């Protein structure tokens, strides 16, 4: 709380604090769980080989740390808590980790794609645990002992030195635009769901007509766009005017893969595994 003025307390205020804490703790649990089979000495993938979204997450974490350390220098603790909570709930939980689930859960366990995702999560966790240590001391120490077993206490650590990304500023700008567009797609998916045209977002195929910088940002993702939007397919069409921009949601006519839940034309293409898509068959077998 802001201790420079009068302090208020009530059951409602305490309830909100509990919710804030739980968001941060649940984010840490997700990070630690998905790093349980990751050995940085053997599995780390260099930043330049990551997907762009992974480098964006790293740039976001480094930007958060810069802001937080400026607040700590001025003994302003309440904005730190607010920014860390927003980072955990919106930037990670509401976006990056949501997109990452498909790669973490359905890719081959030792695949380059999954190890790249884990490499990014490893750096994010290193930074995040150090940032929360001054105000969530017990949680930070508890998580640190799981994250770095055998290492000394987190309280002898210094703040994390993130890998330097020359394109960090450009990534933050580009992905701010992409997240804005994703918000528009999510709204269109919700409307289609309420109208009974689709069930989950993965049942949908998206067609986006976009202009200028919006088209360039979307088109640059190629086939990865469907993973960012969490749909089974996504197409981008260039239009000449902003007035012609639109988002169409089409219910997929394909069968659902029982493993990754994507609706794909190649589900059942392998007779030995009739309920799986080609991607899952190759990842498993």
């Amino acid at each position: 709380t802001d201790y420079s003025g009068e302090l208020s307390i009530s059951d409602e205020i305490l309830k909100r604090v509990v919710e804030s804490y739980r968001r941060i703790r649940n984010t840490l649990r997700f990070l630690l769980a998905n790093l349980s089979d990751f050995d940085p000495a053997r599995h780390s993938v260099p930043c330049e080989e990551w997907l762009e979204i992974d480098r964006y997450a790293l740039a976001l974490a480094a930007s958060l740390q810069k802001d937080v350390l400026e607040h700590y220098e001025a003994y302003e603790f309440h904005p730190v808590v607010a920014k860390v909570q927003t980072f955990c709930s919106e930037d990670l939980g509401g976006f990056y980790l949501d997109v990452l689930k498909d790669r973490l859960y359905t890719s081959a366990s030792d695949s380059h794609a999954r190890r790249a995702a884990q490499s990014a999560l490893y750096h994010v966790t290193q930074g995040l645990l150090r940032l929360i240590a001054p105000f969530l001391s017990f949680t930070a120490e508890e998580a640190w002992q799981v994250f770095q077993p055998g290492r000394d206490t987190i309280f002898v650590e210094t703040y994390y030195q993130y890998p330097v990304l020359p394109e960090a500023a450009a990534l933050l700008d580009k992905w701010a635009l992409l997240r804005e567009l994703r918000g528009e797609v999510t709204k269109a998916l919700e409307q289609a769901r309420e109208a009974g045209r689709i069930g989950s977002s993965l049942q949908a195929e998206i067609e986006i007509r976009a202009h200028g910088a919006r088209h360039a940002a979307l088109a640059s993702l190629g086939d990865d766009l469907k993973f960012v939007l969490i749909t089974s397919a996504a197409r981008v069409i260039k239009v000449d005017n902003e007035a012609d921009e639109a988002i169409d949601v089409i219910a997929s006519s394909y069968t659902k893969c029982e493993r990754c839940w994507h609706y794909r034309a190649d589900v059942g293409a392998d007779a030995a595994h009739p309920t799986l898509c080609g991607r899952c068959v190759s990842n498993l077998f």
Side-chain angles (χ1 to χ4, degrees):
T1 192
D2 179 3
Y3 55 77
S4 63
E6 290 288 329
L7 303 190
S8 302
I9 194 160
S10 68
D11 286 344
E12 187 56 40
I13 288 169
L14 291 174
K15 194 173 164 187
R16 285 203 300 270
V17 173
V18 170
E19 282 305 309
S20 301
Y21 170 66
R22 191 169 285 134
R23 278 197 197 100
I24 296 170
R25 187 181 177 89
N26 285 344
T27 302
L28 291 176
R29 288 179 63 184
F30 182 94
L31 293 170
L32 295 174
N34 283 285
L35 289 168
S36 62
D37 68 335
F38 180 77
D39 177 356
R42 292 189 298 126
H43 302 136
S44 280
V45 176
C47 295
E48 55 272 18
E49 294 178 25
W50 297 358
L51 266 65
E52 191 177 272
I53 192 172
D54 299 329
R55 292 198 296 277
Y56 164 66
L58 189 75
L60 212 52
S63 174
L64 170 76
Q65 178 166 285
K66 182 173 176 290
D67 287 350
V68 163
L69 295 188
E70 285 172 5
H71 285 302
Y72 276 153
E73 285 293 321
Y75 296 94
E76 297 169 347
F77 303 115
H78 60 287
V80 172
V81 180
K83 286 182 178 181
V84 169
Q85 184 197 324
T86 300
F87 179 70
C88 288
S89 60
E90 294 178 18
D91 296 325
L92 292 182
F95 178 64
Y96 180 57
L97 301 182
D98 200 27
V99 173
L100 215 55
K101 283 174 186 170
D102 182 87
R103 220 181 336 150
L104 290 170
Y105 299 167
T106 73
S107 297
S109 59
D110 200 31
S111 64
H112 186 277
R114 185 167 179 271
R115 292 305 188 195
Q118 287 180 307
S119 299
L121 293 185
Y122 179 80
H123 289 294
V124 169
T125 307
Q126 284 277 13
L128 185 58
L129 287 178
R130 289 163 163 84
L131 289 186
I132 68 168
F135 66 91
L136 288 178
S137 306
F138 296 106
T139 300
E141 181 66 13
E142 180 189 357
W144 182 254
Q145 295 305 328
V146 174
F147 182 53
Q148 303 280 286
R151 284 270 289 273
D152 209 341
T153 172
I154 193 170
F155 296 103
V156 299
E157 297 289 325
T158 54
Y159 289 111
Y160 192 55
Q161 293 290 316
Y162 282 103
V164 176
L165 290 176
E167 75 277 30
L171 283 172
L172 291 171
D173 289 344
K174 176 182 175 180
W175 281 88
L177 175 60
L178 284 166
R179 285 176 67 177
E180 184 186 313
L181 288 162
R182 185 178 184 259
E184 293 173 20
V185 170
T186 302
K187 193 174 174 184
L189 288 168
E190 193 54 45
Q191 288 168 350
R193 190 183 290 113
E194 286 172 2
R197 292 181 6 238
I198 60 167
S200 72
S201 66
L202 284 172
Q203 198 178 342
E205 296 181 5
I206 295 286
E207 192 172 273
I208 306 172
R209 291 190 285 282
H211 166 70
R214 287 158 67 92
H215 174 267
L218 290 165
S220 72
L221 296 182
D223 197 44
D224 286 333
L225 179 60
K226 68 182 179 188
F227 297 113
V228 171
L229 300 177
I230 313 182
T231 56
S232 283
R235 289 178 290 278
V236 186
I237 298 164
K238 189 174 186 178
V239 294
D240 296 328
N241 302 301
E242 206 174 307
D244 296 329
E245 291 190 330
I247 297 168
D248 293 328
V249 179
I250 305 142
S252 178
S253 58
Y254 298 125
T255 307
K256 178 182 177 181
C257 170
E258 70 169 17
R259 181 171 179 270
C260 70
W261 297 4
H262 282 249
Y263 288 70
R264 290 168 56 108
D266 59 359
V267 172
D270 185 328
H273 307 286
T275 60
L276 299 182
C277 67
R279 184 169 68 113
C280 284
V281 169
S282 68
N283 282 334
L284 286 171
F285 309 107

